[in-house]
């Protein structure tokens, strides 16, 4: 596989991970730390999104 193909595969897997984070919206957390869990989820979502942007830029750089 080429570097671009590997990065595209990685990007697809990150997109799946992002979807899994979104799927937790329907979960109800009965602990007192619900606010902390929501903040943690948002942090994970933002980190995955940022990583996806970095990988996409690397793919675009390789295609030029």
């Amino acid at each position: 596989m080429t570097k671009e193909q590997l990065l595209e595969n990685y990007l697809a897997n990150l997109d799946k991970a992002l979807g899994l984070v979104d799927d937790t919206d329907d979960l109800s957390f009965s602990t007192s730390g619900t606010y902390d869990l929501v903040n943690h989820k948002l942090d994970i979502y933002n980190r995955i999104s940022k990583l996806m942007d970095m990988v996409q830029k690397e793919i675009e750089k390789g295609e030029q």
Side-chain angles (χ1 to χ4, degrees):
M1 292 183 111
T2 67
K3 179 182 176 183
E4 286 78 20
Q5 289 172 323
L6 290 171
L7 288 171
E8 287 172 0
N9 188 35
Y10 187 44
L11 190 61
N13 286 327
L14 287 172
D15 189 50
K16 289 178 190 175
L18 207 54
L20 290 173
V21 173
D22 277 342
D23 286 346
T24 61
D25 286 344
D26 295 336
L27 293 177
S28 60
F29 299 104
S30 58
T31 64
S32 61
T34 301
Y35 185 72
D36 292 334
L37 289 170
V38 170
N39 282 338
H40 189 62
K41 176 186 166 177
L42 183 59
D43 180 53
I44 292 169
Y45 189 91
N46 288 335
R47 287 173 183 240
I48 293 172
S49 295
K50 184 176 180 180
L51 185 54
M52 288 177 73
D53 290 342
M54 292 170 58
V55 170
Q56 184 63 43
K57 287 179 184 175
E58 189 68 25
I59 290 171
E60 291 169 359
K61 187 174 83 176
E63 291 175 348
Q64 293 177 355

